[in-house]
Amino acid sequence: MTLDVMTLLLALGALSAAVTVTIVCWISPRATMILWTIALFFVPVWVGANLGIFWSAITVLTFLAIIVQGRRFKPHPIDAFVLIFLVLASVLLGLGLVELSPYVTALSEWLLPYLWGRIVLECVPASFVIKCIATAATIVAVLAIVEFVTSVNFFVLIPGTGIVHTMWSTLQARSEFIRAEGAFGHSIALGAAMAMSAAFVLAAPWRTFFKVSALALLGVATVVTFSRIGLVTFALTVALSLLLLREMKARARWVIALVLVIAVAVVVPFIADVFLDAGQEAGGSADYRTDLFVLRSQVQWLGGAGDWKSLIVGDDYLGYFARSIDNAVMLALLQFGYLPTAVLFASYLSTVVLVLRPGRMNAAGIAIIAQLPSLWVVALITQYGMMLWFCIGLALTWAVKAQQQRDRQGTATSLLQPDWSTVRAAQTEKASGRQ
């Protein structure tokens, strides 16, 4: 069989799969959410196809879900920030002030998942979304623990080509341990996903025993990533959930709080020993993140920073930072400029403010609030960025629906209650008639 025939067969197979998935998504929104969750948690980002640009499997599925279910979208004023960012980025791309790669990343890994998060609750109940994410995250946690024990990551055996596969299929070590990363391509991304998923596990309609067990698995999986920001945001997510999540019963709160205290007492010495053994590698990683702020001098108001990699600012050679910029805000500033970045993250912060209002807090809202510190020490890599922006869109829709439900309940209550002024007038008129 010649190469051309093989390519044709593969193309036909891919087309058939795409048509089948599209039909399934059209018929069943629940199946759409299940397939999307599977792609997010279990399919590495290097699985995809090059069609002008690289389309990962999760991006394709997100795009299909939006196309099929997009008619259900209901706009909100906060969406204007995302739209303005898209317009600014597109104009700057056309003017040559923004490079194609970051533009495609913003569109495929941030804006598309955000839009899907805005749509999904118009298709399926929030409880179903909670169950999907909580269940998938628990399975991922088990696989991460197995990966740590065996030092074997089965996901890296999935074939891929190009720079995406080369970049994310390499396993990392800290001290003498191989850091777990699952299908996320990086231990930091896995740790962040486990942290965000913790809120969904605690919101799941499960019995206390299963909820505590699942949370413990997610906690262990986060520990074996040896990601400091993953551990911090995981603890922050659990703490905020205990304080703010309405779905949790009092008994579950106390049990989980006790487990969390015990876990911290056990985990902190172990993690401290690992980072102490890692020595210069761990310390250098932390110093690198602090030194990144020297790049702020290159940020423009509109557009990318240009070719800054060969410059020297003070005693700092900026090319040293070119290999990786572990700061989501700084990276966006360098790629798009002050104004577009401010508009983009205004949508994030506005959603946080919205969910903090009484009666609007939800699992996705807790997840994105707990991730705020990570924006300054971690880039939005692989599925981490996709899950974060999905949760932002989800939190917004969830909060809006909660307010709408409260308004309906208030209206129903007011209709059931008598108009006391009318009652009093009738009583007065009746008494006057008797006189």
Side-chain angles (χ1 to χ4, degrees), residues 110 184 391:
W110 305 348
F184 287 77
C391 285

Side-chain angles (χ1 to χ4, degrees), residues 75-420:
H76 186 274
I78 291 178
D79 297 324
F81 290 116
V82 177
L83 180 60
I84 292 170
F85 169 78
L86 178 60
V87 171
L88 284 174
S90 299
V91 171
L92 292 171
L93 176 69
L95 294 174
L97 299 177
V98 166
E99 296 180 1
L100 179 61
S101 178
Y103 178 83
V104 171
T105 297
L107 185 64
S108 62
E109 298 183 13
W110 305 348
L111 303 192
L112 286 182
Y114 169 84
L115 185 55
W116 173 232
R118 293 282 290 111
I119 294 170
V120 66
L121 290 186
E122 306 294 345
C123 310
V124 298
S127 59
F128 185 76
V129 176
I130 290 172
K131 291 175 184 177
C132 286
I133 294 178
T135 302
T138 304
I139 296 172
V140 168
V142 173
L143 294 176
I145 296 169
V146 172
E147 177 186 345
F148 174 72
V149 172
T150 62
S151 297
V152 176
N153 184 320
F154 295 101
F155 293 104
V156 301
L157 302 178
I158 299 175
T161 57
I163 190 171
V164 179
H165 179 263
T166 303
M167 182 183 300
W168 301 118
S169 63
T170 303
L171 297 179
Q172 308 155 297
R174 176 148 284 171
S175 185
E176 73 270 21
F177 300 108
I178 296 295
R179 302 170 68 178
E181 59 185 48
F184 287 77
H186 199 287
S187 55
I188 291 176
L190 175 60
M194 293 294 95
M196 286 187 284
S197 300
F200 292 87
V201 167
L202 293 175
W206 297 342
R207 293 183 178 181
T208 300
F209 172 78
F210 295 110
K211 189 173 293 190
V212 172
S213 300
L215 185 66
L217 289 171
L218 264 66
V220 174
T222 307
V223 169
V224 298
T225 65
F226 298 104
S227 166
R228 285 163 291 201
I229 193 62
L231 291 166
V232 169
T233 54
F234 181 87
L236 187 56
T237 302
V238 175
L240 289 174
S241 298
L242 293 176
L243 292 172
L244 303 174
L245 203 57
R246 292 174 297 168
E247 290 87 345
M248 292 186 64
K249 297 179 180 178
R251 178 188 176 188
R253 292 180 196 273
W254 286 108
V255 171
I256 290 170
L258 178 61
V259 171
L260 181 62
V261 171
I262 296 173
V264 169
V266 173
V267 168
V268 168
F270 170 68
I271 291 294
D273 288 342
V274 171
F275 282 103
L276 184 62
D277 290 340
Q280 186 176 359
E281 180 268 330
S285 177
D287 292 339
Y288 177 83
R289 287 172 166 84
T290 303
D291 295 340
L292 280 171
F293 286 97
V294 73
L295 295 174
R296 188 173 58 86
S297 62
Q298 305 305 308
V299 178
Q300 307 296 316
W301 274 103
L302 285 169
D307 186 13
W308 49 266
K309 300 177 181 62
S310 60
L311 300 178
I312 296 176
V313 176
D315 296 328
D316 295 298
Y317 169 60
L318 301 189
Y320 170 70
F321 303 103
R323 60 185 177 89
S324 174
I325 299 177
D326 295 333
N327 183 318
V329 176
M330 182 60 67
L331 183 57
L333 287 170
L334 290 168
Q335 292 174 338
F336 298 101
Y338 280 117
L339 183 58
T341 301
V343 171
L344 175 66
F345 285 103
S347 64
Y348 189 162
L349 297 177
S350 298
T351 302
V352 169
V353 171
L354 181 66
V355 300
L356 285 173
R357 297 178 65 180
R360 301 188 183 186
M361 184 57 68
N362 53 69
I366 289 173
I368 65 172
I369 292 171
Q371 286 300 310
L372 284 171
S374 69
L375 296 178
W376 301 95
V377 293
V378 177
L380 301 181
I381 54 178
T382 67
Q383 295 100 307
Y384 169 39
M386 299 177 190
M387 186 173 180
L388 177 64
W389 281 99
F390 168 75
C391 285
I392 294 171
L394 182 66
L396 172 56
T397 308
W398 207 333
V400 170
K401 285 188 167 295
Q403 183 59 43
Q404 290 173 346
Q405 185 176 4
R406 284 165 62 96
D407 292 342
R408 286 194 296 268
Q409 290 174 346
T411 302
T413 302
S414 64
L415 290 174
L416 291 174
Q417 290 178 344
D419 186 344
W420 292 110

